[in-house]
Amino acid sequence: MTLPLDDDPKLAEYAHPEKLVTTAWLAEHLGRPGLAVVESDEDVLLWDTGHVVGSVKVDWHTELNDEVTRDYVDGEGFAALMSRKGISREDTVVIYGDKNNWWAAYALWVFTLFGHPDVRLLDGGRAKWAAEGRELTTDAPAPAPAQYPVVERSDAAVRAFKDDVLAHLGGKLIDVRSPQEYTGERTHMPDYPEEGTVRGGHIPGADSVPWARAAAEDGTFKPRAELEAIYQQEKGLDPSDDVIAYCRIGERSSHTWFVLSALLGFATVRNYDGSWTEWGNSVRVPIVRGAERGEVPAR
Amino acid sequence: MTAGTDDLTAGLPPALAEIVEDFNALAVADRLQLLLEFSQGLPPLPARLEGHPELMEKVEECQSPVFVDVEVDEQEKAHLHFSAPREAPTTRGFAGILAEGLEGLSAQEVLAVPGDVGSRLGLDQAVSPLRMRGLAGMLARVKRQIRVATASA
């Protein structure tokens, strides 16, 4: 059972307004049958300190990733997770989170790998909900286990692996990390040294568009015209381009993946989740240092 | 297969050993709740440090802005002060564990705390090993500040 779309005028301008809801829409529809609300944060305990009434926590470290292999859970694992969280395949899933929805966008991207039919992001995320003084509770819901079918993950459409990126060299690549990470001045984000790499720089030909350029002050996405000005007019991308986005571990690039595919309607956008923690540690892959996009090596 | 409590607390000062025992006595899911309690119990900063992160050391290993300051008094006892945002309860929880487990120990006792104390809390499964590195980073900075303070004393 699918819930009605949010007819907010700002959302209506986006290519796929059905992929987003506003905080007002969520407040109005909370508790409706067929709505599942998921919080996905960087901090594993943040949900426990207070969350949207009825929401369940989905943690990317401990629940979306395989425990052993650097990969996501498989079809059975995802079905078991959804069942535990009380989410059925027919539910409208609304995901929100901290840090400008980085992890929420990441979770939405993983839901997309499993083809969950109706999954939407809360524009502005947890911060906007809280800033508006909307209710947060520490009551933990005890969802009845749901029936969720085992659907095998389908990576090809939205996920790029290292070999895909090597084959894509010369094509459109977006590096969404900070300028210092792009130039190679820094091999990790200021606050994240544990995700460092042995080499700094960027993938040859990649253009630098830090993810935060897509976000407004209040954590919502900028209106469509402003996004077009950045990605299309300034960077010269076209919605028909085949684009791969990457960052450090794939979470900030999920945010940009969402902007390009859901908000601007790019048909072919893949997230390279191996990102710099794979590329910058790999042997004999080409790397460019400095502010220029650099030469793509001949193959 | 779990290590005996004796192994888990070997070499730990009493308050920290008790915290490790408390965590390991709980089921994995309940350990997160205990971490949340430590997060809520983190003492406020003393007045001289409140609102002055520049007087404290930033813990780069943490994913959120966390600051630590260690005082060593005339009796060579260590007093730990941490600042971490409410939006980062896991990090606050780690800070709360160290604040409670190390407060008032001698400089030598703090320096002798094993660097792997985080892994003894039994939180790897509930929190993920990657996130646990923040605690090791905090402990390393506490020790470094103590070394500096005692060297110049």
Side-chain angles (χ1 to χ4, degrees), chain A:
Chain A
M1 184 167 50
T2 301
L3 269 77
L5 300 185
D6 188 339
D7 58 6
D8 178 84
K10 178 196 146 194
L11 303 191
E13 292 178 0
Y14 293 133
H16 295 285
E18 74 279 10
K19 302 303 279 182
L20 275 172
V21 299
T22 57
T23 49
W25 183 96
L26 182 59
E28 185 190 332
H29 291 85
L30 270 187
R32 294 273 186 94
L35 175 67
V37 184
V38 168
E39 176 164 339
S40 212
D41 297 317
E42 172 172 285
D43 195 302
V44 67
L45 272 178
L46 189 53
W47 177 89
D48 300 83
T49 68
H51 48 262
V52 172
V53 176
S55 67
V56 292
K57 167 166 73 174
V58 171
D59 186 66
W60 74 278
H61 272 285
T62 61
E63 294 182 313
L64 293 177
N65 274 285
D66 184 86
E67 274 187 81
V68 180
T69 308
R70 184 175 173 186
D71 199 1
Y72 302 100
V73 292
D74 61 12
E76 280 185 21
F78 189 74
L81 174 66
M82 292 299 98
S83 171
R84 258 196 334 272
K85 305 291 175 181
I87 300 173
S88 78
R89 186 84 175 163
E90 295 72 37
D91 281 345
T92 293
V93 176
V94 171
I95 311 182
Y96 72 98
D98 63 353
K99 302 244 169 168
N100 290 281
N101 273 335
W102 284 357
W103 272 266
Y106 195 10
L108 185 143
W109 178 75
V110 174
F111 273 68
T112 305
L113 296 175
F114 292 99
H116 189 91
D118 186 5
V119 54
R120 314 179 191 179
L121 209 54
L122 176 68
D123 197 20
R126 181 185 168 95
K128 184 160 195 281
W129 182 272
E132 290 169 348
R134 297 184 190 274
E135 186 182 358
L136 295 170
T137 178
T138 53
D139 293 345
Q147 292 289 326
Y148 198 96
V150 173
V151 179
E152 284 316 317
R153 217 177 59 221
S154 176
D155 291 333
V158 296
R159 186 179 186 193
F161 295 97
K162 190 181 96 186
D163 287 345
D164 299 325
V165 178
L166 282 167
H168 184 81
L169 287 179
K172 304 287 186 186
L173 273 164
I174 298 290
D175 184 319
V176 316
R177 298 173 301 160
S178 63
Q180 295 82 359
E181 291 171 281
Y182 179 84
T183 59
E185 190 183 316
R186 196 180 267 156
T187 52
H188 58 79
M189 280 221 292
D191 294 336
Y192 299 70
E194 73 274 18
E195 290 164 11
T197 49
V198 294
R199 287 291 187 269
H202 57 266
I203 300 175
D207 211 341
S208 170
V209 192
W211 70 273
R213 294 195 60 192
E217 287 277 313
D218 63 356
T220 57
F221 292 105
K222 286 179 178 165
R224 181 165 186 173
E226 290 179 37
L227 296 175
E228 284 178 348
I230 297 167
Y231 295 94
Q232 292 167 236
Q233 278 101 58
E234 180 189 325
K235 294 298 173 183
L237 295 174
D238 186 273
S240 64
D241 285 339
D242 180 1
V243 183
I244 293 177
Y246 70 93
C247 60
R248 182 177 41 95
I249 55 169
E251 97 292 6
R252 285 175 288 172
S253 46
S254 298
H255 190 273
T256 297
W257 165 81
F258 186 83
V259 169
L260 293 176
S261 57
L263 306 186
L264 294 177
F266 282 53
T268 314
V269 186
R270 285 174 289 170
N271 180 23
Y272 169 38
D273 58 280
S275 275
W276 200 257
T277 51
E278 178 178 42
W279 198 273
N281 285 321
S282 293
V283 176
R284 291 180 78 178
V285 295
I287 289 176
V288 173
R289 282 209 176 170
E292 300 301 320
R293 290 160 64 166
E295 293 287 314
V296 174
R299 264 176 288 159

